[in-house]
Amino acid sequence: MIECSYCDARHEAGGVENWSSGAETVRIFTSRTVIACIESKRGERWICEECYVKRAFRGLDPAEKAEVHYQMGLEYRDRSNPRAALTCLRKSLGYRKHADTLAALASCYARIGRADSARRYYLDALKLDPCHFMATENLAKLSAGGRAEAKRRIGDD
């Protein structure tokens, strides 16, 4: 069980996925409900969807707020809700411009069939971080096929 740091509600764990980039494997927590984790000045903080909607995290500094919006955006994206993800990720950009956020925005645009917007955000991510793996790989996928093919491929990232 994971407890929201704001309302103390308990959320059932869904499992752990292993993500590998070849040299490194990362264990990613999955839950049955929308809940995100950030590292704050006060340590690891969990925020559930209800507290996110209520903006219970108002007391965090701007960088931490950016991270909350980014992590919730990833949660929504990974739960096949790219439109909700776009809203969160745009809010994150309002606090800080970061290559990871731009690449995540791009993948959401690709998933809803907006290849031109996806391409623009991948290129923006690469301006900030020329070696950004997700932006590099997904931009190549986007360029390799038609709109439907790119949407299918990027949906698998």
Side-chain angles (χ1 to χ4, degrees):
M1 293 295 244
I2 298 295
E3 279 189 22
C4 175
S5 302
Y6 296 91
C7 69
D8 297 325
R10 299 178 134 228
H11 297 268
E12 188 176 342
V16 176
E17 294 178 4
N18 291 321
W19 291 7
S20 180
S21 66
E24 181 181 3
T25 299
V26 179
R27 295 174 51 90
I28 304 294
F29 165 79
T30 61
S31 69
R32 296 188 191 277
T33 58
V34 176
I35 187 166
C37 182
I38 68 157
E39 287 295 325
S40 76
K41 293 175 184 171
R42 291 165 249 156
E44 187 176 83
R45 310 276 300 171
W46 289 91
I47 184 165
C48 69
E49 184 176 32
E50 185 175 336
C51 288
Y52 177 75
V53 169
K54 290 180 179 177
R55 300 244 191 248
F57 57 94
R58 283 187 203 106
L60 298 178
D61 70 30
E64 293 169 328
K65 288 177 184 176
E67 188 66 15
V68 168
H69 290 299
Y70 171 71
Q71 292 297 332
M72 289 302 284
L74 295 182
E75 278 289 304
Y76 286 122
R77 183 197 68 189
D78 295 344
R79 292 171 185 275
S80 299
N81 190 347
R83 294 194 189 279
L86 286 169
T87 299
C88 297
L89 295 167
R90 284 187 202 115
K91 288 178 183 176
S92 180
L93 280 182
Y95 289 99
R96 72 167 181 205
K97 195 171 182 181
H98 194 277
D100 290 343
T101 307
L102 293 164
L105 266 167
S107 72
C108 289
Y109 278 116
R111 289 175 188 201
I112 62 172
R114 293 189 47 198
D116 290 343
S117 293
R119 185 173 288 103
R120 185 179 78 241
Y121 280 105
Y122 284 134
L123 291 171
D124 287 349
L126 290 169
K127 286 178 189 170
L128 291 179
D129 179 358
C131 298
H132 194 277
F133 180 77
M134 185 175 148
T136 302
E137 291 295 310
N138 286 337
L139 184 59
K141 289 176 185 178
L142 194 63
S143 299
R147 180 178 295 207
E149 176 66 11
K151 183 177 174 182
R152 184 193 62 75
R153 289 178 180 194
I154 292 171
D156 295 338
D157 64 355

